[in-house]
Amino acid sequence: MNKHQLVQTLRNSNGLSKQEAEQVVNLFFNELSDSLIRGNRVEIRGFCSFFVKKYGAYTGSNPQTGKKVKIPSKKLPFFKAGKELKERVDR
């Protein structure tokens, strides 16, 4: 399912206009993103949690040349499925 299909499903199941459904979906994703940017964990009980992992800088090597390369620190978003979601998918 992509974002457009989610908007359509929300629209059809709740009698919303296309614009209203898009606003709801955009609001959800914007708030989720903003919360992760602030370093907060987002938990949707029974479904999943989103969080940010921080990685420190390290020295790597370019596989083509073998040269040492400094890799800067970074933050990456992660998704962890909740227990109920895991059980539903496994059925």
Side-chain angles (χ1 to χ4, degrees), residues 62-91:
N62 182 331
Q64 291 179 341
T65 63
K67 274 187 170 179
K68 298 289 182 188
V69 179
K70 288 186 179 181
I71 310 295
S73 62
K74 59 185 169 185
K75 298 180 202 175
L76 295 174
F78 275 83
F79 165 88
K80 183 177 179 184
K83 181 181 174 186
E84 290 176 33
L85 177 60
K86 288 178 186 178
E87 289 171 356
R88 287 183 70 184
V89 169
D90 192 36
R91 286 186 202 157

Side-chain angles (χ1 to χ4, degrees), residues 27-81:
L27 176 67
F28 175 79
F29 286 117
N30 289 339
E31 288 299 316
L32 177 76
S33 299
D34 290 346
S35 187
L36 291 173
I37 288 167
R38 290 189 300 270
N40 298 327
R41 176 184 170 100
V42 176
E43 185 173 334
I44 303 170
R45 296 249 183 229
F47 182 67
C48 70
S49 61
F50 297 92
F51 55 97
V52 175
K53 279 190 179 181
K54 298 174 185 174
Y55 293 93
Y58 62 95
T59 302
S61 61
N62 182 331
Q64 291 179 341
T65 63
K67 274 187 170 179
K68 298 289 182 188
V69 179
K70 288 186 179 181
I71 310 295
S73 62
K74 59 185 169 185
K75 298 180 202 175
L76 295 174
F78 275 83
F79 165 88
K80 183 177 179 184

Side-chain angles (χ1 to χ4, degrees), residues 6-32:
L6 181 60
V7 168
Q8 288 296 94
T9 301
L10 183 61
R11 181 179 174 202
N12 294 338
S13 66
N14 291 299
L16 299 174
S17 70
K18 183 179 178 185
Q19 185 178 11
E20 290 170 329
E22 283 179 349
Q23 287 176 339
V24 169
V25 171
N26 288 333
L27 176 67
F28 175 79
F29 286 117
N30 289 339
E31 288 299 316
L32 177 76

